[in-house]
Amino acid sequence: MAMERANLLNMAKLSIKGLIESALSFGRTLDSDYPPLQQFFVVMEHCLKHGLKVKKTFLGYNKSLWGPLEMVEKLCPEAGEIAASVRDLPGLKTPLGRARAWLRLALMQKRLADYLRVLITRKDILSDFYESSAVMLEEEGAVIVGLLVGLNVIDANLCVKGEDLDTQNIICVVPHKSNYILLKCSLNRNGQIAAILDQKNYILLFCAQVTKGDVNCELDTYKQSRQGLDEMYNEARRQLREECQLRQDVENELVVQVSMKQEMELAMKLLEKDIHEKQDTLIGLRQQLDEVKAINVEMYQKMQSSDDGMKQKNDMIARLEEKTNQITATMRQLEQRLQLETDLKIEREWRQTLQNDLERERDTVAQLNAEAQQINALKKEFHRLQDENTQLKGICEEQEQALEELGCKLSESKLKIEDIKEANKALQGGQVWLKDKDATHCKLCEKEFSISRRKHHCRNCGEIFCNACSDNELPLPASPKPVRVCDTCHALLLQRCSSNTT
């Protein structure tokens, strides 16, 4: 694998350098038929195929370059335009054809080195498509991507749409002496190409694929040609070593001069390329103008057909609008009828409600009339009772006056009786004092006497009372000074005093 990577790197160096030198000396925009450009695409295709894993599909096992190249769209959004263009190409049916178209579009855009640099930096993604020792995962891949930067000075105008990239004739690269021989492969009757690759010496040779019945014959032919090619390769390898040594010496001496010369040549050739580019651009613009004219004619025809269709649609729309207006008018009439029915129903319900209210009001009025009659009867009864009350009040006042007169007379009689009793007592020999031992309870409150509740004699009647019932003092006829009297004698004496005063 290391030898294969080294051989691929050398072939890529020779192909890229030869393409740049021939393109600068050619002095105009390159097209698809330019042999160094075809050789460059073949070498790049083999560099990208090196170490590619085999994917299992419905049709068998195959190696597809389109898988890793399609991932560039996710890593670099600017590549999305190329990927979309490749998918839109109608003639491409195989993943290999899409990969070839992608390489050509990236070269025309002058971004091939940038896109592949973004891809090789993501080893984790490439490991899904390549083996661990593939060119794209090793240092040789980074060197090849660095060499691709020099292709930015080349202007390529490739018509990808017109080429048959799925079954395209591929140029073979075979080392011969000090130069590389370019061979064009042929197609078999099935329209397929077979690629036979010597992994040790890395001789690229594409032969026609045959049917299963011719396989043995093809193998014998391949063995015979292999022996001659091995001898040719050994001789070419020896000469290549000598030439590489001489070339290295010359390059070391002329590095400074070549760099200065290249800058001057690039400056002059860039001016020339601008002129050729403008001419090619003018030709392209004329072609585009013709295409635009054809498209305009086609669009005009389509517009006329669409106008006819629009007229028919407008007529249909007018008829539909008339029907819609009729339906709308009918709907309005129905809505008006529905509204009238609704209003009528509401009015009926309102009348029924009013009748119910009126009946309730009539019942209420009847009840009120009955209550009014009862009230009138009660009023008459009340007036009668008021008259009786007035009469009874008059009788009561008269009786009260009579009672007052009787009370006054009775009080005078009581006082006279008391006076008679006192006079009788005085005539009998004075007051009778009750002895202490004969009294155990108060005469008025009937509470039992004790050490705290002591006995007291009333100086008027001579009975024994407690302190609360005899806590009064008045002057008596027998004693001009105020002495203790009971509550009963106190009230009686005060009444007598007041009556005497009146």
Side-chain angles (χ1 to χ4, degrees), residues 244-262:
C244 287
Q245 185 65 33
L246 294 174
R247 187 185 183 94
Q248 185 68 31
D249 297 337
V250 174
E251 286 180 355
N252 292 333
E253 293 176 359
L254 299 178
V255 168
V256 178
Q257 296 179 3
V258 169
S259 61
M260 295 176 62
K261 185 177 180 181
Q262 286 179 352

Side-chain angles (χ1 to χ4, degrees), residues 289-304:
L289 182 61
D290 295 336
E291 292 177 356
V292 170
K293 288 180 179 179
I295 292 171
N296 288 333
V297 172
E298 184 179 357
M299 292 297 293
Y300 179 74
Q301 294 175 356
K302 290 182 179 180
M303 186 176 66
Q304 287 181 347

Side-chain angles (χ1 to χ4, degrees), residues 85-266:
S85 301
V86 171
R87 295 189 191 96
D88 295 337
L89 289 175
L92 298 180
K93 300 179 180 179
T94 61
L96 180 60
R98 296 189 184 94
R100 290 171 179 172
W102 189 91
L103 291 174
R104 284 159 174 75
L105 291 175
L107 181 64
M108 285 192 292
Q109 199 179 10
K110 297 183 180 181
R111 297 295 302 277
L112 181 60
D114 297 334
Y115 295 154
L116 294 180
R117 184 183 297 110
V118 173
L119 184 61
I120 64 174
T121 56
R122 298 297 301 272
K123 305 292 184 183
D124 54 342
I125 297 177
L126 289 178
S127 60
D128 296 336
F129 300 96
Y130 291 97
E131 302 291 342
S132 59
S133 58
V135 171
M136 297 299 291
L137 295 176
E138 300 295 336
E139 295 181 357
E140 288 81 0
V143 175
I144 292 173
V145 173
L147 294 173
L148 292 176
V149 178
L151 297 179
N152 293 336
V153 299
I154 296 176
D155 295 330
N157 186 10
L158 308 177
C159 185
V160 180
K161 184 177 180 180
E163 296 183 8
D164 188 6
L165 298 178
D166 292 330
T167 59
Q168 184 182 11
N169 289 337
I170 304 300
I171 298 175
C172 301
V173 184
V174 180
H176 179 66
K177 294 183 181 181
S178 62
N179 201 349
Y180 280 77
I181 301 174
L182 302 180
L183 301 177
K184 179 172 282 189
C185 297
S186 61
L187 297 175
N188 63 357
R189 58 178 174 269
N190 294 325
Q192 297 179 345
I193 299 176
I196 302 174
L197 179 61
D198 186 356
Q199 297 294 346
K200 293 183 180 180
N201 300 321
Y202 218 85
I203 300 173
L204 303 179
L205 183 61
F206 293 86
C207 64
Q209 190 180 30
V210 295
T211 60
K212 292 183 179 180
D214 298 333
V215 172
N216 294 326
C217 182
E218 291 291 336
L219 289 176
D220 294 336
T221 304
Y222 171 69
K223 289 178 181 178
Q224 294 175 3
S225 62
R226 172 70 179 272
Q227 186 176 2
L229 290 174
D230 288 341
E231 295 175 358
M232 186 186 300
Y233 176 73
N234 292 330
E235 180 66 20
R237 187 175 181 182
R238 185 182 61 79
Q239 293 179 1
L240 178 63
R241 289 176 182 174
E242 295 176 358
E243 291 181 0
C244 287
Q245 185 65 33
L246 294 174
R247 187 185 183 94
Q248 185 68 31
D249 297 337
V250 174
E251 286 180 355
N252 292 333
E253 293 176 359
L254 299 178
V255 168
V256 178
Q257 296 179 3
V258 169
S259 61
M260 295 176 62
K261 185 177 180 181
Q262 286 179 352
E263 291 179 357
M264 295 177 64
E265 289 178 353
L266 287 173

